Amino acid sequence: MPRLSEESSGGKNYKTAIGSYRFQRAGTGIVEVLNENSYVMAEYSERTGSVKWQRVVLASQREQIEKWLEAHYPRS
């Protein structure tokens, strides 16, 4: 099971999960999933609960990330 933590970088709070993926709010109701190089891998909508993947991610990681997003950023 991946460990999740919060770290602070340059005044922004990031949540880390599944290896080195990070999550950060990008705007009203949008959470970005970033990799270790800060590339946007996906965008999660808190309004709809949908995830739009921008880059290829292993299916097992993708599923874990989507479940984690739903648990930590519930639909509004």
Side-chain angles (χ1 to χ4, degrees), residues 10 14 44:
Y14 297 100
Y44 171 73

Side-chain angles (χ1 to χ4, degrees), residues 4-23:
L4 307 175
S5 64
E6 263 191 60
E7 41 185 79
S8 182
S9 174
K12 293 185 177 181
N13 286 329
Y14 297 100
K15 293 186 179 179
T16 308
I18 303 148
S20 54
Y21 289 97
R22 297 179 308 173
F23 306 98

Side-chain angles (χ1 to χ4, degrees), residues 6-54:
E6 263 191 60
E7 41 185 79
S8 182
S9 174
K12 293 185 177 181
N13 286 329
Y14 297 100
K15 293 186 179 179
T16 308
I18 303 148
S20 54
Y21 289 97
R22 297 179 308 173
F23 306 98
Q24 70 179 22
R25 291 189 188 275
T28 306
I30 300 293
V31 177
E32 291 178 331
V33 179
L34 298 99
N35 70 2
E36 63 217 13
N37 296 318
S38 297
Y39 287 112
V40 176
M41 304 300 285
E43 292 180 343
Y44 171 73
S45 170
E46 289 181 281
R47 187 176 58 83
T48 64
S50 66
V51 180
K52 292 182 183 177
W53 289 93
Q54 309 293 321

